Amino acid sequence: THQWRGIIEEYRDRLPVTDTTPVVTLREGGTPLVPAQVLSERTGCEVHLKVEGANPTGSFKDRGMTMAITRAKEEGAQAVICASTGNTSASAAAYAVRAGMVCAVLVPQGKIALGKMGQALVYGSRILQVDGNFDDCLNLARSLSENYPVALVNSVNPYRIEGQKTASFEIVDALGDAPDIHVLPVGNAGNITAYWKGYTEYAADGMSGRKPRMWGFQASGSAPIVRGEVVKDPSTIATAIRIGNPASWTQALAAREESGGFIDEVTDREILRAYRLLASQEGVFVEPASAASVAGLLKAAEQGKVDPGQRIVCTVTGNGLKDPDWAVAGAPQPVTVPVDADAAAERLGLA
Ligand code: F0G
């Protein structure tokens, strides 16, 4: 019987490791590519969801983190640091445990989802809430890593991008070729950079016959790339992508230009509509930021930008359990019944 071995073992020859590299893994990757029936009907296309919430800490960050922490360990680091809107920190904290390292975490005070805070705490990281936004946290983390013996594991670390590019390999391996269009939420812009690198490398080596157009979506209140300028006070209910000055801005523009794609914005209302559709129509529960990709696809379809018959992959980046508040908000309170089958049947509409 075969168990998925994690992205480093599965794609070893395409990653910066040697035979002696001490691989730090939780067997991340190998995530489901799920056909999306309702989205396919709505768009007249063949839509698939790459469900990254199925990773060990519940987001795509694990792909980059296995690589970054593996290389940090190889280079003798004893401590790592990251700024985070919650998922990077959850992942860094978990992989640091596996590597026997200390993990320091900087998060924007009051702006990360409860599940993510719980992860940083239970994995035993040293967590500080910063009185500022994600961009402030990243500046602080950069400065600490320059002045103290602690390795930075944000996506400005090139090994993060190396690990995350494996999602593109998995998609090509599953579909037999690259899709026509790949849709992603964009925050710090590391992931769109990584996917494009993966598709480009696979195509160059003849593993695929084409490359997709890359479509990225930011939240309207946090859309610096769309606006063409830094957003000083970013806002959105999708806290994972509440970022005003993305570190990989230039690389995201390159992915857009080289692929013939675009980067647009979606409102919080559009994000929440897609979030509810994914759970209630496709059976896929994601966190709000993840729904930005699907919200973007639906927006583009409404604008007539989606020609029918295309093969489209939307990455849904994080698990819905990370941020359950939005699942409960606005939903009716379940009714309470006595231990009585007749009463239960009546309330359930069965009687
Ligand atoms: N979706 C989720 C669930 C995320 O956590 C992030 C980024 C993104 C999308 C955007 O990806 O930054 O590569 O463009 N989260 C980072 C963090 C910022 O700290 O967890 P990106």
Side-chain angles (χ1 to χ4, degrees), residues 21-46:
T21 302
V23 175
V24 181
T25 181
L26 286 162
R27 300 197 182 230
E28 57 297 310
T31 55
L33 187 65
V34 178
Q37 209 178 327
V38 171
L39 291 172
S40 295
E41 280 163 18
R42 288 249 185 128
T43 56
C45 290
E46 180 193 313

Side-chain angles (χ1 to χ4, degrees), residues 60-61 84-88 185-191 240-241 243 287 317:
F60 71 96
K61 305 290 182 179
S84 186
T85 55
N87 281 324
T88 296
V186 173
N188 213 24
N191 212 25
I241 53 171
I243 293 174
E287 66 169 287
T317 44

Side-chain angles (χ1 to χ4, degrees), residues 301-318:
E302 275 157 30
Q303 293 173 330
K305 289 184 189 163
V306 183
D307 294 332
Q310 301 190 89
R311 191 178 250 184
I312 301 175
V313 175
C314 293
T315 297
V316 283
T317 44

